[in-house]
Amino acid sequence: MIVTTEWMHRNFRRFNTEYFGGKMPVPAFALSGARTQLGTMSCRKAYRRGVLHVYDFKITMTTYYDMTDKEAEDVLLHEMIHYIIAYTGLKDTSSHGVVFRGMADALNRKYGRNISIRTDTRGWALAEKYRQREDEKLKEPALIMLIKTMDGRCFASQVSPASYGRLEHEIKHIKEIEDHRWLVTDDAAYKALPKVRSLRGRRITKDDYKRMADTLAPLHPNH
C-alpha cells in the first residue's frame, strides 16, 4: 500500500475519534520520498502578547515504501502523538521523551499497535518507482576513495559521485594526507560499503590499499 494524502486524511479522522477523543483539528497533509524519515509532524510557533501560539500543523509521510496498512497506520499514529503533545501544550523531556513514550505504550497495549521510536525498515518492500531507481543505481559502478595519511593509516570508502569535486578540493588542502586515489568498480562487495559524502572511511591495511590501487580501475585513466 502506497500512502496518499487521502489515506492520511481518512485515517487521521478515524484515529482522532477512536484514540484521541476528537481533540485535534485536521492538519495539512503532505508526502515525501524520504528513505529513513517515515513521517514528520511540523508546526509554527509564535508569541502574541506574551502567549505562545502553535499553529499550521502538518503531517508528512513517506511514499518510499510499499507498506502494509498496519505499518502505515503506526507511522501516522506516531506523528499524531507528536501533534497532540504540541497542540495541547504538554511539556515533554525530549522529542521522544516520557510523555511521548507513555502515550505510545498506552496505545500499543490498548489497541495492539506497534508505535515505536525507531522503525527497522530492513526487509520492507520499496514502492515501484523507488525500487526501479535502486535497481538503476546497482547497475552504476561504485566510486571508491582511498586515502593514506602521513602516519601510514589507510582508509577506503564508497563516495557519492555528486561529492567527488568537493572532496577532491578538500583533500588537496589537507597536509596530513600523503596519497589518495579515486577508483571505480562494478564489484558488488564494494557497492555494499556505506556511501559517504564527507572525508570518512573504513580503516584498511596497507596491503589492502595497494591491492585496491593496483587492481581497481582509476577514475581518470591517466592517474
Side-chain angles (χ1 to χ4, degrees), residues 192-217:
L193 289 171
K195 190 174 291 186
V196 303
R197 293 177 172 80
S198 59
L199 287 179
R200 56 192 177 91
R202 180 177 297 176
R203 183 81 177 266
I204 60 174
T205 65
K206 292 180 180 179
D207 288 341
D208 283 337
Y209 186 97
K210 185 177 186 307
R211 175 181 55 79
M212 293 169 67
D214 289 345
T215 59
L216 300 185

Side-chain angles (χ1 to χ4, degrees), residues 53-70:
H53 292 265
V54 186
Y55 59 101
D56 282 357
F57 292 94
K58 181 170 72 174
I59 293 177
T60 302
M61 289 181 63
T62 185
T63 60
Y64 188 81
Y65 296 99
D66 185 358
M67 292 183 275
T68 65
D69 282 329
K70 194 171 188 305

Side-chain angles (χ1 to χ4, degrees), residues 1-51:
M1 189 272 294
I2 308 301
V3 172
T4 65
T5 53
E6 290 78 10
W7 180 94
M8 294 172 67
H9 190 280
R10 182 173 65 255
N11 283 279
F12 175 91
R13 295 179 72 90
R14 175 166 69 94
F15 291 136
N16 190 30
T17 299
E18 295 177 6
Y19 294 3
F20 298 94
K23 296 177 182 178
M24 294 175 285
V26 176
F29 298 108
L31 304 172
S32 78
R35 179 178 64 84
T36 57
Q37 201 165 34
L38 303 182
T40 60
M41 191 288 298
S42 62
C43 59
R44 295 185 180 183
K45 299 180 180 181
Y47 280 95
R48 298 169 188 163
R49 296 181 179 178
V51 178

Side-chain angles (χ1 to χ4, degrees), residues 89-215:
L90 290 172
K91 302 297 182 183
D92 206 346
T93 55
S94 65
S95 178
H96 296 106
V98 173
V99 175
F100 181 96
R101 291 172 185 268
M103 288 186 177
D105 289 344
L107 292 179
N108 288 341
R109 288 194 303 271
K110 186 174 182 179
Y111 299 104
R113 307 306 318 186
N114 187 32
I115 306 164
S116 60
I117 305 302
R118 293 182 179 83
T119 301
D120 186 354
T121 58
R122 288 177 295 183
W124 281 25
L126 304 188
E128 179 64 20
K129 69 175 181 178
Y130 294 107
R131 185 187 63 76
Q132 291 177 354
R133 291 182 189 178
E134 292 299 321
D135 289 344
E136 288 300 316
K137 288 180 182 179
L138 290 176
K139 297 176 184 178
E140 299 174 355
L143 176 61
I144 304 299
M145 175 178 65
L146 294 182
I147 289 178
K148 182 190 294 182
T149 62
M150 290 293 188
D151 59 7
R153 292 177 298 158
C154 299
F155 302 89
S157 57
Q158 180 185 186
V159 173
S160 172
S163 302
Y164 163 73
R166 176 175 53 80
L167 295 183
E168 174 67 9
H169 178 76
E170 290 181 19
I171 288 171
K172 289 180 177 179
H173 290 81
I174 298 176
K175 296 179 181 179
E176 290 79 8
I177 294 179
E178 176 185 336
D179 182 41
H180 76 284
R181 308 291 178 91
W182 291 100
L183 310 167
V184 290
T185 179
D186 288 318
D187 192 323
Y190 294 107
K191 291 183 177 182
L193 289 171
K195 190 174 291 186
V196 303
R197 293 177 172 80
S198 59
L199 287 179
R200 56 192 177 91
R202 180 177 297 176
R203 183 81 177 266
I204 60 174
T205 65
K206 292 180 180 179
D207 288 341
D208 283 337
Y209 186 97
K210 185 177 186 307
R211 175 181 55 79
M212 293 169 67
D214 289 345
T215 59

